[in-house]
Amino acid sequence: MLQHFKFKPMFENRQLPGWDISFFYKNERITGEYHPDGSIVWRSKPPQDEETIKTMIHELMLYHVYD
């Protein structure tokens, strides 16, 4: 389970796409960039179970950003 999931726009002009994301997974801080096409660029080491984590992030972003 992801803990302390945070996101914020990459740019001050919120019309430009992209979000900085961060969260904890298995006591490890993970950071990355979430792009509107659903791609994620990891800034930290990619998490274990990467595909499962991507699914969780997509669901969270759909709920918080696109809803």
Side-chain angles (χ1 to χ4, degrees):
M1 178 195 318
L2 303 181
Q3 297 177 327
H4 303 288
F5 181 79
K6 296 180 185 179
F7 68 96
K8 68 177 185 171
M10 292 174 127
F11 308 101
E12 288 185 30
N13 177 356
R14 295 175 185 259
Q15 293 179 342
L16 295 172
W19 297 267
D20 291 318
I21 59 171
S22 65
F23 57 91
F24 284 87
Y25 181 68
K26 294 187 177 180
N27 296 324
E28 206 174 312
R29 186 168 191 270
I30 310 290
T31 60
E33 301 173 1
Y34 184 89
H35 297 277
D37 64 358
S39 63
I40 299 172
V41 177
W42 303 111
R43 290 188 184 152
S44 60
K45 183 178 107 180
Q48 300 172 2
D49 308 324
E50 185 174 0
E51 291 307 312
T52 303
I53 298 300
K54 284 183 178 181
T55 301
M56 289 184 213
I57 292 171
H58 293 315
E59 290 175 6
L60 286 166
M61 293 302 284
L62 282 172
Y63 178 77
H64 290 292
V65 175
Y66 295 108
D67 199 19

